[in-house]
Amino acid sequence: MSDSLVVCEVDPELKEKLRKFRFRKETDNAAIIMKVDKDRQMVVLEEEFQNISPEELKMELPERQPRFVVYSYKYVHEDGRVSYPLCFIFSSPVGCKPEQQMMYAGSKNRLVQTAELTKVVFEIRTTDDLTEAWLQEKLSFFR
């Protein structure tokens, strides 16, 4: 049932930005943070970052409000190979307003499909979870 629940559309400008982000050539960590514009019922760009570590990214996320993040991360595998997975992170902190959580949860699937990031999707319930070690552990399952 939640698969068909779509609360917010994705801003056309954000769609284009996500498309370009997917095909970026840079090798540094980068992130796009998105939020729901309640008045427009639309997922919009909040901020973009270049050369940002997971710990720095964590500091940019609000502790009491949900956010969507697309994160391009330089991942060094155990065998020395390097990849640049695009991770979709849904930050849904405990304690935010239920209607806000529902808007974000209902919009998540549409955004994941729009961004074409269906493979590497994570959810965090507290911003403290977003660390380099946590991300590396999660990505180790996607070898």
Side-chain angles (χ1 to χ4, degrees):
M1 185 163 142
S2 65
D3 286 342
S4 62
L5 173 66
V6 176
V7 177
C8 299
E9 292 299 318
V10 180
D11 181 20
E13 289 179 22
L14 176 58
K15 283 182 186 179
E16 180 60 20
K17 188 163 288 289
L18 288 168
R19 189 188 69 72
K20 287 180 179 173
F21 193 76
R22 279 186 60 228
F23 298 108
R24 68 192 286 275
K25 301 282 186 245
E26 295 82 4
T27 58
D28 61 334
N29 296 343
I32 292 178
I33 298 177
M34 298 155 283
K35 66 180 181 179
V36 168
D37 180 334
K38 198 167 73 173
D39 297 333
R40 292 171 50 205
Q41 296 258 312
M42 195 168 282
V43 179
V44 298
L45 173 70
E46 182 173 53
E47 215 165 339
E48 258 186 292
F49 297 95
Q50 300 295 321
N51 198 21
I52 186 169
S53 72
E55 284 74 13
E56 291 167 328
L57 180 57
K58 167 176 53 179
M59 303 307 289
E60 298 297 334
L61 294 173
E63 289 183 20
R64 299 257 182 266
Q65 293 180 346
R67 287 296 184 269
F68 299 120
V69 179
V70 175
Y71 190 44
S72 176
Y73 178 70
K74 181 178 180 177
Y75 179 59
V76 181
H77 298 261
E78 289 177 10
D79 62 5
R81 291 177 298 118
V82 177
S83 63
Y84 300 90
L86 280 179
C87 307
F88 182 91
I89 302 168
F90 175 32
S91 173
S92 179
V94 176
C96 58
K97 295 176 185 171
E99 63 272 9
Q100 198 176 32
Q101 279 186 321
M102 286 178 62
M103 279 186 96
Y104 275 82
S107 303
K108 182 182 106 178
N109 289 339
R110 168 67 57 90
L111 184 55
V112 166
Q113 290 169 345
T114 299
E116 297 180 41
L117 299 172
T118 54
K119 291 186 184 102
V120 187
V121 179
F122 307 126
E123 187 168 331
I124 56 174
R125 299 294 285 164
T126 171
T127 55
D128 290 341
D129 290 346
L130 185 55
T131 64
E132 189 106 25
W134 174 84
L135 190 56
Q136 288 182 355
E137 178 189 329
K138 294 290 187 187
L139 289 171
S140 70
F141 295 110
F142 292 95
R143 285 178 228 166

